Each structure stands twice: as C-alpha cells, then as structure tokens.
Amino acid sequence: VQLQASGGGLVQPGGSLRLSCAASGLTFSGYAMTWFRQAPGKEREFVASIRSNDGNTLYGNSVKGRFTISRDNAKNTRHLQMTSLKSEDTGVYYCALKLGNPIASTRWDSSKYDYWGQGTQVTVSS
C-alpha cells in the first residue's frame, strides 16, 4: 500500500487549502485514514480521521469547526479541507492508514498505523 499526499503550500492567515491523500495497492475495504501534522520542535498531532466503512469522523480540538475530512471510496482518496487557517496550523501534514474498523482510541494513536504517506508542507504566513 502506498499513500500519496498532495495539496500543501503557502497560504495567508484566514485562507484555505485542500489536502488530498490517495491510496494505491489497497485490497482491503475497511480502514481508517487519518491526517496528522508535525510542527518544528513539536510532537506529532492528530488532526482528523475518517473510516471507510461508515464515514465516521474524528477531529482534533484545535481544528474542529475549521477543517473537514471527506472520502471518495471509489478513488481510495481522502480530502482535508482546511479553512480559517492560522499560523499555528503550519507544519508537515501526513496521511496515515489503519486497516480494519478501528475505534477512536486507536485512531488517535499514531503508533497504531500501518502505512504512512510522505507528508506535505503547509505554511500559514503573511
């Protein structure tokens, strides 16, 4: 399985960006795809997650109400629509995939994931 993240870039505070994560080589129908991010000098942070089977979503407190994760099961692609971006949203965004139908506590834990994408840089700055 390979994950390809795209869509990062430079945006001004208050702006929007849309990240995408495409999974290839996936033969399982059940999985959760999650975005984590990591800013320089900080720990990796959970951003948002969606399950393929039921569309259940989870959001980190710092992005709730501003970010939306969505799915395109036919293309094995997940999108992260980010709005009202702030400087503290700056970091490298990674998509990760956990096989099965994981519960929330598993999805929060980055060490539980089976596959990771290469990361895409998001910089929010004026």
Side-chain angles (χ1 to χ4, degrees), residues 2-16:
Q2 290 189 329
L3 302 179
Q4 181 70 42
S6 62
L10 173 64
V11 64
Q12 292 186 341
S16 300

Side-chain angles (χ1 to χ4, degrees), residues 36 46 51 58 102-113:
F36 291 88
F46 176 94
R51 281 196 305 224
L58 294 172
I103 60 175
S105 59
T106 297
R107 292 158 70 185
W108 283 96
D109 186 350
S110 62
S111 71
K112 304 293 188 183
Y113 282 76

Side-chain angles (χ1 to χ4, degrees), residues 41-99:
K42 294 189 177 181
E43 292 186 353
R44 190 164 292 185
E45 178 187 10
F46 176 94
V47 177
S49 178
I50 188 166
R51 281 196 305 224
S52 62
N53 287 345
D54 58 9
N56 176 269
T57 57
L58 294 172
Y59 292 94
N61 287 335
S62 62
V63 307
K64 207 172 290 184
R66 300 187 297 123
F67 291 11
T68 303
I69 190 168
S70 61
R71 60 180 176 167
D72 182 344
N73 281 348
K75 297 181 179 179
N76 285 335
T77 299
R78 301 297 179 262
H79 304 288
L80 183 69
Q81 181 67 46
M82 306 185 294
T83 63
S84 301
L85 283 162
K86 307 174 182 179
S87 58
E88 50 263 44
D89 294 316
T90 295
V92 179
Y93 283 67
Y94 299 91
C95 58
L97 189 147
K98 172 63 181 171
L99 297 172

